[in-house]
Amino acid sequence: NLVFGLLIAWVLVRYKFPGKKIVDALVDLPFALPTAVAGISLTALLAGNGWIGQYLEPLGIQLAFKPAGIVIALIFIGLPFVVRTVQPVLEDAEKELEEAATSLGATRLQIFVKVILPSITPALLTGFAMAFARAVGEYGSVIFIAGNMPMISEITPLIIIGKLEQYDYAGATAVAVVMLVISFVLLLIINALQAWQRRHAGAPA
């Protein structure tokens, strides 16, 4: 999501091409779709008899009901957070700094790494944190494509539900607390990185 979210935001901001508005609208599709519909749609596409899966399975590539399918589902529902967080920052970026770097002989890679990336890093980290927080507790879009096969493609929310159905409230609470701690620690790290980035950006050259 970090890599492809940044690439999509970059293309939408910096380039003009036919169908740009359609691509821009498709970025918000995971927000508009009910999560269960997204899960069923992805399963229908990637299953062995699906539109895409039927061509991949003869090659030995199985996506549905495997960890790879879970990854695809989480990328689908998390990507918009990164794109929509980075996009406005790229739009507001000062082109004069890039032009000045170019006039001083900087390559395009150097301009991106030393001029653009530092300015968008806080937004990139924020988008990542939101996508991760959404993914940790995601249920609807993952439950169908995961298959919940023990030790292969189990998902945490379904483990919690299974324990609740067995009246194992202590077990369900333990799993939920672990998820909460992981999310909380990651958010603390992201906030610390953002604070450091803001101090670094505001420091005199």
Side-chain angles (χ1 to χ4, degrees), residues 22 69 74-75 110 115 118-119 123 128 133 146 155 157 174 176 189 195:
I22 296 175
L74 295 181
I75 289 173
Q110 289 174 324
V115 178
S119 66
F128 163 74
I155 61 172
I189 293 172

Side-chain angles (χ1 to χ4, degrees), residues 7-146:
L7 285 175
I8 293 173
W10 182 273
V11 169
L12 290 175
V13 171
R14 297 298 179 99
Y15 296 95
K16 294 182 179 179
F17 54 90
K20 178 179 176 179
K21 291 185 177 179
I22 296 175
V23 174
D24 196 26
L26 286 175
V27 170
D28 293 325
L29 184 62
F31 290 148
L33 276 180
T35 54
V37 174
I40 293 171
S41 301
L42 287 172
T43 305
L45 288 172
L46 302 177
N49 58 350
W51 291 355
I52 298 174
Q54 63 180 332
Y55 300 108
L56 296 178
E57 195 152 298
L59 302 175
I61 302 173
Q62 187 176 356
L63 298 177
F65 317 122
K66 296 289 183 180
I70 298 174
V71 172
I72 292 172
L74 295 181
I75 289 173
F76 177 76
I77 60 101
L79 190 66
F81 290 99
V82 179
V83 175
R84 292 308 184 212
T85 306
V86 174
Q87 195 173 356
V89 179
L90 281 175
E91 290 172 348
D92 294 338
E94 297 180 12
K95 298 291 181 61
E96 293 81 4
L97 295 176
E98 297 177 40
E99 293 170 359
T102 302
S103 67
L104 293 172
T107 63
R108 296 183 70 177
L109 179 60
Q110 289 174 324
I111 292 172
F112 177 78
V113 172
K114 296 187 177 182
V115 178
I116 300 172
L117 189 58
S119 66
I120 65 173
T121 296
L124 201 56
L125 292 175
T126 301
F128 163 74
M130 290 191 295
F132 183 86
R134 169 76 183 270
V136 166
E138 182 60 23
Y139 179 77
S141 63
V142 181
I143 182 62
F144 297 104
I145 200 168

Side-chain angles (χ1 to χ4, degrees), residues 125-197:
L125 292 175
T126 301
F128 163 74
M130 290 191 295
F132 183 86
R134 169 76 183 270
V136 166
E138 182 60 23
Y139 179 77
S141 63
V142 181
I143 182 62
F144 297 104
I145 200 168
N148 205 49
M149 298 163 60
M151 307 304 294
I152 296 177
S153 60
E154 288 179 298
I155 61 172
T156 313
L158 197 58
I159 292 175
I160 294 174
I161 290 175
K163 290 185 178 298
L164 289 174
E165 290 176 345
Q166 297 167 13
Y167 302 102
D168 183 7
Y169 299 117
T173 302
V175 177
V177 168
V178 171
M179 293 175 63
L180 178 63
V181 170
I182 291 173
S183 300
F184 185 68
V185 169
L186 183 67
L187 289 173
L188 283 178
I189 293 172
I190 295 299
N191 287 334
L193 287 171
Q194 288 178 330
W196 174 83
Q197 184 67 33

